[in-house]
Amino acid sequence: MGNTCAMRFTRRECLITMEIRQAAPKDFRILVSLTASEGWGYTEDDFQWFDRVGGKTLVAANESEIVGMVTTLDYGNVCWISNLLVKLKERGHGIGTEILSECMRLFGKRKSLSLFSYERSADFYEANGFKSDLEAYLVSPMGCNRGRSAGVVEAKLDGAVLEMDRACFGFVRPLVIHGLAEKGIILKLEGGGGFAIVRKDQIEPSAGPVIAGDRDLGHELLLAALEAAGPNSRAVVLERGIEGLNYQDKIRRLHQGAQPKIDLSMAVAFAGLELG
Ligand SMILES: CC(C)(COP(=O)(O)OP(=O)(O)OC[C@H]1O[C@@H](n2cnc3c(N)ncnc32)[C@H](O)[C@@H]1OP(=O)(O)O)[C@@H](O)C(=O)NCCC(=O)NCCS
Protein backbone atom coordinates (compact mmCIF):
# COMPACT_ATOMS: atom_id res chain seq x y z
CA MET A 1 0.00 0.00 0.00
CA GLY A 2 3.08 2.25 -0.01
CA ASN A 3 2.52 3.40 -3.57
CA THR A 4 0.26 6.36 -3.05
CA CYS A 5 -1.45 8.41 -5.67
CA ALA A 6 -0.91 11.47 -3.57
CA MET A 7 -2.25 14.70 -4.85
CA ARG A 8 -2.40 17.96 -3.00
CA PHE A 9 -4.98 20.65 -3.32
CA THR A 10 -6.05 23.63 -1.33
CA ARG A 11 -9.65 24.03 -0.32
CA ARG A 12 -10.77 27.42 -1.53
CA GLU A 13 -12.77 28.31 1.55
CA CYS A 14 -10.30 27.71 4.34
CA LEU A 15 -6.92 27.26 2.69
CA ILE A 16 -6.19 23.89 4.31
CA THR A 17 -3.84 21.64 2.36
CA MET A 18 -5.39 18.25 1.66
CA GLU A 19 -3.85 15.13 0.27
CA ILE A 20 -5.64 12.33 -1.58
CA ARG A 21 -3.64 9.14 -1.19
CA GLN A 22 -4.06 5.40 -1.06
CA ALA A 23 -5.19 4.20 2.38
CA ALA A 24 -2.66 2.29 4.47
CA PRO A 25 -3.70 -0.61 6.75
CA LYS A 26 -3.25 1.70 9.75
CA ASP A 27 -6.05 3.88 8.34
CA PHE A 28 -8.62 1.06 8.26
CA ARG A 29 -9.69 1.51 11.90
CA ILE A 30 -10.53 5.16 11.18
CA LEU A 31 -12.36 4.20 7.98
CA VAL A 32 -14.47 1.73 9.96
CA SER A 33 -15.67 4.52 12.25
CA LEU A 34 -16.11 6.96 9.34
CA THR A 35 -18.32 4.48 7.47
CA ALA A 36 -20.13 3.43 10.68
CA SER A 37 -21.32 7.03 11.04
CA GLU A 38 -23.16 6.49 7.75
CA GLY A 39 -24.51 3.09 8.93
CA TRP A 40 -22.48 1.14 6.37
CA GLY A 41 -21.27 -1.56 8.76
CA TYR A 42 -17.74 -2.26 7.40
CA THR A 43 -15.04 -3.94 9.49
CA GLU A 44 -11.24 -3.73 9.23
CA ASP A 45 -11.38 -7.23 7.72
CA ASP A 46 -13.60 -5.90 4.91
CA PHE A 47 -11.01 -3.25 3.98
CA GLN A 48 -8.23 -5.87 4.10
CA TRP A 49 -10.30 -8.25 1.96
CA PHE A 50 -11.03 -5.46 -0.53
CA ASP A 51 -7.29 -4.83 -0.78
CA ARG A 52 -6.61 -8.55 -1.41
CA VAL A 53 -9.11 -8.76 -4.27
CA GLY A 54 -7.43 -5.86 -6.07
CA GLY A 55 -9.46 -2.93 -4.75
CA LYS A 56 -7.94 0.38 -3.73
CA THR A 57 -9.19 2.63 -0.99
CA LEU A 58 -8.33 6.31 -1.33
CA VAL A 59 -8.51 8.76 1.53
CA ALA A 60 -8.61 12.55 1.62
CA ALA A 61 -6.57 13.71 4.57
CA ASN A 62 -5.53 17.04 5.96
CA GLU A 63 -2.57 17.28 8.32
CA SER A 64 -4.35 15.79 11.32
CA GLU A 65 -7.25 13.66 10.11
CA ILE A 66 -8.94 11.66 7.39
CA VAL A 67 -11.96 13.63 6.18
CA GLY A 68 -13.13 11.57 3.20
CA MET A 69 -12.74 8.32 1.31
CA VAL A 70 -13.67 6.33 -1.77
CA THR A 71 -13.11 2.73 -2.85
CA THR A 72 -12.19 1.74 -6.40
CA LEU A 73 -12.07 -1.55 -8.28
CA ASP A 74 -10.33 -1.63 -11.61
CA TYR A 75 -11.71 -4.36 -13.88
CA GLY A 76 -9.57 -3.24 -16.81
CA ASN A 77 -12.24 -2.05 -19.22
CA VAL A 78 -14.42 -0.64 -16.43
CA CYS A 79 -13.36 1.00 -13.20
CA TRP A 80 -15.94 0.85 -10.47
CA ILE A 81 -16.07 3.48 -7.74
CA SER A 82 -18.01 3.18 -4.50
CA ASN A 83 -18.25 4.25 -0.89
CA LEU A 84 -17.59 7.92 -1.61
CA LEU A 85 -17.93 9.54 1.79
CA VAL A 86 -17.02 12.88 3.36
CA LYS A 87 -17.05 13.42 7.11
CA LEU A 88 -20.34 15.10 8.04
CA LYS A 89 -18.88 18.33 9.40
CA GLU A 90 -16.63 18.72 6.32
CA ARG A 91 -19.37 18.40 3.68
CA GLY A 92 -20.17 21.19 1.27
CA HIS A 93 -16.57 22.42 0.93
CA GLY A 94 -15.68 20.66 -2.29
CA ILE A 95 -13.95 17.59 -0.82
CA GLY A 96 -16.36 15.08 -2.44
CA THR A 97 -15.83 16.76 -5.82
CA GLU A 98 -12.04 16.66 -5.35
CA ILE A 99 -12.10 12.93 -4.50
CA LEU A 100 -14.19 12.26 -7.62
CA SER A 101 -11.81 14.36 -9.73
CA GLU A 102 -8.91 12.27 -8.44
CA CYS A 103 -10.76 9.08 -9.50
CA MET A 104 -11.31 10.59 -12.94
CA ARG A 105 -7.64 11.56 -13.12
CA LEU A 106 -6.56 8.04 -12.14
CA PHE A 107 -9.06 6.04 -14.18
CA GLY A 108 -10.82 8.44 -16.56
CA LYS A 109 -8.86 7.31 -19.62
CA ARG A 110 -10.33 3.84 -19.27
CA LYS A 111 -13.33 2.91 -21.36
CA SER A 112 -15.70 3.51 -18.50
CA LEU A 113 -15.89 4.84 -14.94
CA SER A 114 -19.02 3.51 -13.28
CA LEU A 115 -20.84 3.61 -9.95
CA PHE A 116 -24.08 2.92 -8.14
CA SER A 117 -25.85 5.78 -6.40
CA TYR A 118 -28.92 6.04 -4.26
CA GLU A 119 -31.48 8.34 -5.88
CA ARG A 120 -30.77 11.02 -3.27
CA SER A 121 -27.10 11.37 -4.34
CA ALA A 122 -27.52 10.97 -8.10
CA ASP A 123 -27.73 14.75 -8.72
CA PHE A 124 -24.28 15.13 -7.18
CA TYR A 125 -22.78 12.65 -9.66
CA GLU A 126 -24.68 14.11 -12.61
CA ALA A 127 -23.34 17.55 -11.69
CA ASN A 128 -19.90 15.91 -11.93
CA GLY A 129 -20.44 14.62 -15.46
CA PHE A 130 -21.86 11.14 -14.84
CA LYS A 131 -24.85 9.87 -16.86
CA SER A 132 -27.57 7.60 -15.47
CA ASP A 133 -27.95 4.46 -17.54
CA LEU A 134 -29.80 1.89 -15.44
CA GLU A 135 -32.23 1.61 -12.53
CA ALA A 136 -31.71 -1.05 -9.89
CA TYR A 137 -33.35 -1.89 -6.59
CA LEU A 138 -32.08 -2.85 -3.15
CA VAL A 139 -34.20 -5.79 -1.98
CA SER A 140 -34.53 -8.17 0.95
CA PRO A 141 -36.47 -11.44 1.16
CA MET A 142 -40.01 -11.28 2.56
CA GLY A 143 -39.00 -13.70 5.25
CA CYS A 144 -41.09 -16.80 4.62
CA ASN A 145 -38.85 -19.84 4.62
CA ARG A 146 -39.55 -21.42 1.24
CA GLY A 147 -36.97 -24.18 1.34
CA ARG A 148 -34.48 -24.57 -1.49
CA SER A 149 -35.94 -25.26 -4.90
CA ALA A 150 -35.13 -28.74 -6.25
CA GLY A 151 -33.18 -27.36 -9.19
CA VAL A 152 -30.74 -25.33 -7.06
CA VAL A 153 -27.58 -27.07 -5.86
CA GLU A 154 -24.43 -26.07 -3.99
CA ALA A 155 -21.39 -26.06 -6.28
CA LYS A 156 -17.72 -25.17 -6.57
CA LEU A 157 -16.29 -22.16 -8.32
CA ASP A 158 -15.19 -23.15 -11.80
CA GLY A 159 -14.37 -21.61 -15.16
CA ALA A 160 -18.04 -21.69 -16.19
CA VAL A 161 -18.92 -19.26 -13.38
CA LEU A 162 -16.18 -16.81 -14.39
CA GLU A 163 -17.22 -17.08 -18.03
CA MET A 164 -20.92 -16.48 -17.27
CA ASP A 165 -19.97 -13.43 -15.18
CA ARG A 166 -17.83 -12.09 -18.04
CA ALA A 167 -20.52 -12.77 -20.66
CA CYS A 168 -23.18 -11.04 -18.56
CA PHE A 169 -21.31 -8.00 -17.19
CA GLY A 170 -18.29 -7.77 -19.47
CA PHE A 171 -15.89 -7.68 -16.50
CA VAL A 172 -12.87 -9.90 -16.23
CA ARG A 173 -12.65 -10.13 -12.43
CA PRO A 174 -11.36 -13.51 -11.26
CA LEU A 175 -9.87 -12.06 -8.05
CA VAL A 176 -13.19 -10.60 -6.94
CA ILE A 177 -15.19 -13.72 -7.82
CA HIS A 178 -12.64 -15.99 -6.10
CA GLY A 179 -12.64 -13.64 -3.09
CA LEU A 180 -16.43 -13.76 -2.87
CA ALA A 181 -16.51 -17.53 -3.27
CA GLU A 182 -13.92 -17.99 -0.48
CA LYS A 183 -16.08 -15.97 1.89
CA GLY A 184 -19.34 -17.54 0.87
CA ILE A 185 -20.96 -20.35 -1.07
CA ILE A 186 -21.91 -20.83 -4.69
CA LEU A 187 -25.32 -22.03 -5.77
CA LYS A 188 -25.96 -23.23 -9.29
CA LEU A 189 -28.94 -24.21 -11.36
CA GLU A 190 -28.78 -27.91 -12.10
CA GLY A 191 -27.65 -28.26 -15.69
CA GLY A 192 -25.41 -25.18 -15.41
CA GLY A 193 -27.82 -22.48 -16.62
CA GLY A 194 -26.99 -20.02 -13.87
CA PHE A 195 -25.18 -19.33 -10.60
CA ALA A 196 -25.42 -17.17 -7.48
CA ILE A 197 -22.80 -16.21 -4.90
CA VAL A 198 -23.98 -16.14 -1.30
CA ARG A 199 -22.14 -13.90 1.19
CA LYS A 200 -22.93 -15.09 4.69
CA ASP A 201 -21.50 -11.95 6.23
CA GLN A 202 -22.25 -11.40 9.94
CA ILE A 203 -23.07 -7.72 9.38
CA GLU A 204 -24.15 -7.41 5.76
CA PRO A 205 -25.23 -10.80 4.37
CA SER A 206 -26.05 -10.61 0.69
CA ALA A 207 -26.51 -12.46 -2.59
CA GLY A 208 -24.82 -11.54 -5.85
CA PRO A 209 -23.87 -11.73 -8.57
CA VAL A 210 -26.85 -13.81 -9.66
CA ILE A 211 -26.93 -14.74 -13.35
CA ALA A 212 -29.27 -17.12 -15.15
CA GLY A 213 -30.29 -17.86 -18.72
CA ASP A 214 -33.94 -18.33 -17.72
CA ARG A 215 -35.78 -15.51 -15.94
CA ASP A 216 -38.04 -17.61 -13.65
CA LEU A 217 -35.21 -19.96 -12.68
CA GLY A 218 -33.05 -16.90 -12.03
CA HIS A 219 -35.64 -15.64 -9.53
CA GLU A 220 -35.67 -19.06 -7.82
CA LEU A 221 -31.89 -18.94 -7.62
CA LEU A 222 -31.93 -15.42 -6.16
CA LEU A 223 -34.49 -16.35 -3.48
CA ALA A 224 -32.51 -19.47 -2.59
CA ALA A 225 -29.31 -17.40 -2.35
CA LEU A 226 -30.94 -14.76 -0.13
CA GLU A 227 -32.30 -17.48 2.12
CA ALA A 228 -28.89 -19.16 2.33
CA ALA A 229 -27.27 -15.80 3.20
CA GLY A 230 -29.46 -15.64 6.30
CA PRO A 231 -31.60 -13.06 8.09
CA ASN A 232 -31.31 -9.43 6.89
CA SER A 233 -29.73 -10.47 3.61
CA ARG A 234 -29.99 -8.10 0.66
CA ALA A 235 -29.36 -7.99 -3.07
CA VAL A 236 -29.27 -5.38 -5.83
CA VAL A 237 -31.66 -6.50 -8.58
CA LEU A 238 -32.59 -5.06 -11.96
CA GLU A 239 -36.28 -5.89 -12.13
CA ARG A 240 -39.28 -4.50 -10.32
CA GLY A 241 -41.92 -6.77 -8.84
CA ILE A 242 -40.03 -10.04 -8.25
CA GLU A 243 -42.30 -12.13 -6.05
CA GLY A 244 -41.11 -12.82 -2.49
CA LEU A 245 -39.00 -9.66 -2.18
CA ASN A 246 -39.33 -6.41 -0.26
CA TYR A 247 -38.19 -3.44 -2.33
CA GLN A 248 -36.25 -1.14 0.01
CA ASP A 249 -34.57 1.53 -2.09
CA LYS A 250 -34.09 2.68 -5.65
CA ILE A 251 -30.55 2.82 -7.00
CA ARG A 252 -29.11 4.19 -10.20
CA ARG A 253 -26.08 3.06 -12.14
CA LEU A 254 -24.16 6.01 -13.58
CA HIS A 255 -21.13 6.14 -15.83
CA GLN A 256 -18.62 8.34 -17.63
CA GLY A 257 -17.07 7.25 -20.91
CA ALA A 258 -18.42 4.15 -22.63
CA GLN A 259 -21.58 2.66 -21.11
CA PRO A 260 -20.68 -0.53 -19.21
CA LYS A 261 -21.90 -3.69 -20.85
CA ILE A 262 -24.68 -5.75 -19.35
CA ASP A 263 -26.74 -8.63 -20.75
CA LEU A 264 -30.19 -7.89 -19.35
CA SER A 265 -31.50 -11.29 -20.45
CA MET A 266 -29.11 -12.96 -17.93
CA ALA A 267 -28.45 -10.44 -15.14
CA VAL A 268 -30.60 -11.00 -12.05
CA ALA A 269 -28.51 -9.33 -9.32
CA PHE A 270 -25.25 -7.38 -9.20
CA ALA A 271 -22.34 -8.43 -7.00
CA GLY A 272 -23.30 -5.63 -4.62
CA LEU A 273 -23.37 -1.88 -4.29
CA GLU A 274 -19.65 -1.70 -3.71
CA LEU A 275 -18.56 -4.25 -6.31
CA GLY A 276 -20.86 -3.59 -9.25
C1 LIG B 1 -22.12 12.93 -1.46
C2 LIG B 1 -20.92 13.52 -0.68
C3 LIG B 1 -19.74 12.59 -0.80
C4 LIG B 1 -20.56 14.88 -1.27
O1 LIG B 1 -19.41 15.36 -0.61
P1 LIG B 1 -19.18 16.93 -0.34
O2 LIG B 1 -17.78 17.14 0.05
O3 LIG B 1 -20.23 17.43 0.57
O4 LIG B 1 -19.45 17.47 -1.81
P2 LIG B 1 -19.01 18.85 -2.41
O5 LIG B 1 -18.80 19.86 -1.33
O6 LIG B 1 -17.90 18.61 -3.35
O7 LIG B 1 -20.36 19.19 -3.17
C5 LIG B 1 -20.36 19.76 -4.39
C6 LIG B 1 -21.79 20.06 -4.78
O8 LIG B 1 -22.65 18.92 -4.73
C7 LIG B 1 -23.80 19.20 -3.95
N1 LIG B 1 -24.19 17.98 -3.24
C8 LIG B 1 -23.56 17.39 -2.22
N2 LIG B 1 -24.22 16.28 -1.86
C9 LIG B 1 -25.29 16.18 -2.68
C10 LIG B 1 -26.34 15.27 -2.80
N3 LIG B 1 -26.44 14.21 -2.00
N4 LIG B 1 -27.27 15.48 -3.75
C11 LIG B 1 -27.18 16.55 -4.59
N5 LIG B 1 -26.20 17.47 -4.51
C12 LIG B 1 -25.28 17.28 -3.56
C13 LIG B 1 -23.38 20.30 -3.00
O9 LIG B 1 -24.48 21.05 -2.60
C14 LIG B 1 -22.43 21.11 -3.88
O10 LIG B 1 -23.17 21.94 -4.76
P3 LIG B 1 -22.72 23.45 -5.03
O11 LIG B 1 -21.28 23.39 -5.51
O12 LIG B 1 -23.69 23.90 -6.08
O13 LIG B 1 -22.88 24.11 -3.72
C15 LIG B 1 -21.30 13.75 0.82
O14 LIG B 1 -22.48 14.50 0.88
C16 LIG B 1 -21.45 12.47 1.62
O15 LIG B 1 -20.49 11.95 2.16
N6 LIG B 1 -22.70 11.96 1.72
C17 LIG B 1 -22.98 10.77 2.50
C18 LIG B 1 -22.46 9.53 1.84
C19 LIG B 1 -23.11 9.30 0.51
O16 LIG B 1 -24.31 9.36 0.37
N7 LIG B 1 -22.26 9.00 -0.50
C20 LIG B 1 -22.72 8.72 -1.82
C21 LIG B 1 -23.00 7.26 -1.90
S1 LIG B 1 -23.96 6.89 -3.34
Side-chain angles (χ1 to χ4, degrees):
M1 298 288 278
N3 178 25
T4 69
C5 53
M7 173 203 129
R8 289 185 176 276
F9 64 93
T10 305
R11 283 161 55 190
R12 284 163 301 207
E13 294 84 352
C14 41
L15 297 176
I16 293 173
T17 303
M18 306 275 302
E19 178 187 39
I20 298 180
R21 60 168 170 82
Q22 200 170 319
K26 68 176 170 49
D27 298 322
F28 292 165
R29 191 178 48 80
I30 298 161
L31 298 182
V32 168
S33 75
L34 185 64
T35 49
S37 65
E38 208 57 38
W40 289 352
Y42 289 119
T43 63
E44 286 187 56
D45 276 354
D46 291 327
F47 285 102
Q48 277 153 10
W49 177 86
F50 193 69
D51 216 21
R52 279 202 302 281
V53 300
K56 282 189 173 57
T57 302
L58 304 182
V59 293
N62 62 27
E63 277 125 40
S64 56
E65 62 171 345
I66 288 174
V67 292
M69 63 167 284
V70 71
T71 54
T72 67
L73 255 173
D74 187 355
Y75 293 147
N77 52 350
V78 180
C79 180
W80 207 263
I81 61 181
S82 49
N83 298 308
L84 176 65
L85 176 58
V86 171
K87 205 169 182 173
L88 188 56
K89 70 177 173 55
E90 300 286 348
R91 289 181 195 168
H93 298 299
I95 298 172
T97 301
E98 289 297 343
I99 298 174
L100 263 191
S101 303
E102 178 63 0
C103 292
M104 291 175 214
R105 195 185 67 76
L106 284 172
F107 304 107
K109 290 198 180 70
R110 311 239 171 228
K111 279 189 194 151
S112 172
L113 192 59
S114 192
L115 58 88
F116 280 125
S117 167
Y118 288 108
E119 282 282 290
R120 56 186 174 273
S121 303
D123 289 352
F124 169 75
Y125 292 111
E126 285 183 339
N128 280 287
F130 284 81
K131 288 189 209 124
S132 284
D133 59 55
L134 210 62
E135 258 184 24
Y137 309 92
L138 190 64
V139 297
S140 60
M142 266 175 181
C144 42
N145 198 327
R146 303 155 35 97
R148 188 178 295 171
S149 151
V152 177
V153 292
E154 209 167 314
K156 285 209 161 66
L157 176 62
D158 57 17
V161 166
L162 295 173
E163 178 47 31
M164 248 187 280
D165 184 62
R166 190 204 59 73
C168 182
F169 293 117
F171 308 144
V172 180
R173 50 176 179 178
L175 272 181
V176 168
I177 298 294
H178 275 279
L180 288 171
E182 271 163 25
K183 277 175 76 153
I185 57 172
I186 294 187
L187 299 180
K188 272 191 178 176
L189 290 173
E190 250 174 356
F195 79 92
I197 300 188
V198 177
R199 293 158 81 181
K200 285 187 167 193
D201 192 89
Q202 292 264 314
I203 302 168
E204 299 215 321
S206 63
V210 181
I211 297 174
D214 177 282
R215 182 78 24 209
D216 291 339
L217 292 177
H219 295 169
E220 284 293 330
L221 191 53
L222 170 68
L223 291 169
L226 284 166
E227 194 165 303
N232 308 317
S233 59
R234 300 196 299 177
V236 183
V237 302
L238 284 121
E239 253 181 284
R240 290 172 192 266
I242 301 175
E243 224 176 292
L245 298 178
N246 287 314
Y247 281 69
Q248 297 182 335
D249 223 326
K250 204 197 258 186
I251 287 151
R252 273 201 255 162
R253 191 180 74 172
L254 296 105
H255 74 275
Q256 282 201 12
Q259 185 169 332
K261 172 190 154 81
I262 185 166
D263 184 338
L264 291 169
S265 70
M266 297 170 78
V268 180
F270 285 101
L273 275 176
E274 80 285 28
L275 299 169

